[in-house]
Amino acid sequence: MTNLDQRVFVAGHRGMVGAALVRELQRRGYRNVLTRSHTELDLENQNQVHRFFSTTPVDVVYLAAAKVGGILANQNHPVDFLYHNLMIQCNVIRAAYAAGVRKLLFLGSSCIYPREASQPIREDALLTGPLEATNEPYAIAKIAGLKLCEAYQREHGARFICAMPTNLYGPHDNYDLHSSHVLPALIRKFHEGREASQDSVTLWGTGTPLREFLYVDDLAQACLMLMESPSAEGIYNIGAGQDLSIADLARVVAQVVGFQGAVVYDTSKPDGTPRKLLDSSRVRALGWKPEISLHHGVTLAYGHFLREQAGQPLPVA
């Protein structure tokens, strides 16, 4: 039986994933959910992180804090994606173990897998081939965090679990066209195209890459299920179970947003990995499955985007 009084620290609670985790913890009745803003606790500062864990009783950690971004951001700022994520992960994982934290969930990403991995991608595909060059710095950082969790489990018996989600979207997403992922970028581009009565919107690449998308609240449910399971260990892929082309995704988003112009593809820009569909059979075997369809999820996400544009509050952690 789950102890709803255990002290749960969510690192990165103001991000999309962290906020969803806090919402789900509160929905399930957890009474001691701990959060810290960046001004209260700089996760890149080793001394601050160790001081926090040595002075604040914590039973469970969800490590959702990370520097994230799309192809353009990864290409332009590889140092940021590699260095900052390594610092956050190493500090939190090491300090949590030193303080006696009994269970930790590390949030990774599907980009850890090789560019040409067999589809759907199983967890054992890790490190079997070269990574996709456009997000290699972020992927290497996440692989390091995953391997650190595995090392603590193997050497010290720590219950440190790793969740590898597919492409996520939902409340608190990033809609900055210079650093966002594809789905929020499409929402913003089509919205601005509609508002400006544009005849067309130009998208990067060919539109042919296949991607899988999961609403972030579905991920949060999977994460809590893993942490509440007495038998969960190792790496778990978490995906929707089906993918679609970027061109098909663009049609879904355009329909939801109400953009009726043409879609033009700039084939001089990179596509990224040709296909990235996760095999999520490990987590599904524990009883989880996504509840929110893509069309419904995009509709919800567009509503959140409009509220953000209007300066209205979103669901907060």
Side-chain angles (χ1 to χ4, degrees):
M1 184 175 178
T2 301
N3 176 13
L4 298 179
D5 287 318
Q6 62 188 330
R7 293 153 298 192
V8 182
F9 174 51
V10 179
H13 74 287
R14 289 185 172 175
M16 179 173 61
V17 174
L21 288 169
V22 172
R23 287 196 302 274
E24 183 64 17
L25 286 162
Q26 293 173 340
R27 187 185 71 82
R28 296 194 185 195
Y30 282 81
R31 289 180 279 270
N32 293 307
V33 179
L34 309 176
T35 61
R36 293 293 186 274
S37 67
H38 179 73
T39 56
E40 295 172 310
L41 175 61
D42 180 0
L43 297 178
E44 293 183 37
N45 185 307
Q46 187 179 80
N47 290 333
Q48 287 189 28
V49 174
H50 278 267
R51 188 180 306 115
F52 167 76
F53 277 100
S54 63
T55 59
T56 307
V58 175
D59 298 309
V60 174
V61 173
Y62 288 86
L63 179 44
K67 181 174 181 60
V68 299
I71 290 177
L72 181 61
N74 272 267
Q75 285 185 326
N76 291 343
H77 305 287
V79 171
D80 288 350
F81 283 92
L82 184 54
Y83 175 80
H84 293 296
N85 284 308
L86 285 173
M87 292 297 291
I88 291 169
Q89 296 161 187
C90 291
N91 287 342
V92 173
I93 293 169
R94 183 171 182 267
Y97 175 75
V101 169
R102 61 182 182 80
K103 210 165 187 181
L104 177 147
L105 182 80
F106 172 68
L107 269 297
S109 167
S110 59
C111 73
I112 65 167
Y113 295 115
R115 172 186 167 86
E116 303 294 341
S118 298
Q119 307 288 321
I121 306 172
R122 290 162 43 97
E123 289 87 351
D124 58 12
L126 182 65
L127 297 179
T128 59
L131 298 167
E132 162 59 38
T134 55
N135 55 28
E136 184 182 80
Y138 181 72
I140 288 175
K142 286 299 179 180
I143 291 170
L146 182 158
K147 286 298 180 181
L148 186 58
C149 287
E150 284 188 344
Y152 270 105
Q153 182 174 7
R154 184 172 67 251
E155 184 175 346
H156 300 296
R159 294 291 305 281
F160 289 180
I161 304 170
C162 301
M164 299 298 124
T166 189
N167 298 286
L168 301 168
Y169 67 102
H172 303 280
D173 208 341
N174 172 24
Y175 294 95
D176 183 333
L177 295 179
H178 295 287
S179 59
S180 64
H181 290 104
V182 60
L183 199 154
L186 290 178
I187 288 176
R188 178 166 179 175
K189 282 194 171 189
F190 286 130
H191 172 78
E192 292 181 349
R194 191 199 68 186
E195 293 295 290
S197 300
Q198 294 175 203
D199 294 329
S200 65
V201 163
T202 300
L203 306 181
W204 273 31
T206 63
T208 59
L210 298 170
R211 292 291 183 271
E212 176 186 30
F213 297 92
L214 184 71
Y215 195 74
V216 70
D217 286 43
D218 278 334
L219 169 68
Q221 291 185 18
C223 290
L224 263 70
M225 187 199 67
L226 289 175
M227 292 293 268
E228 292 173 354
S229 169
S231 60
E233 64 177 12
I235 308 171
Y236 289 87
N237 289 339
I238 304 177
Q242 58 184 5
D243 56 7
L244 77 167
S245 70
I246 297 300
D248 286 338
L249 174 67
R251 282 187 277 271
V252 171
V253 176
Q255 179 188 23
V256 169
V257 173
F259 177 76
Q260 298 180 341
V263 178
V264 178
Y265 289 92
D266 181 356
T267 57
S268 69
K269 296 296 192 295
D271 272 332
T273 303
R275 189 184 189 196
K276 195 163 59 174
L277 175 65
L278 295 182
D279 180 339
S280 301
S281 56
R282 285 200 78 213
V283 70
R284 285 176 179 262
L286 296 176
W288 173 84
K289 64 179 181 179
E291 297 178 356
I292 300 173
S293 70
L294 180 63
H295 191 279
H296 181 46
V298 171
T299 302
L300 292 173
Y302 185 48
H304 296 312
F305 171 80
L306 292 176
R307 290 176 64 180
E308 184 177 294
Q309 293 295 297
Q312 298 173 357
L314 296 179
V316 294

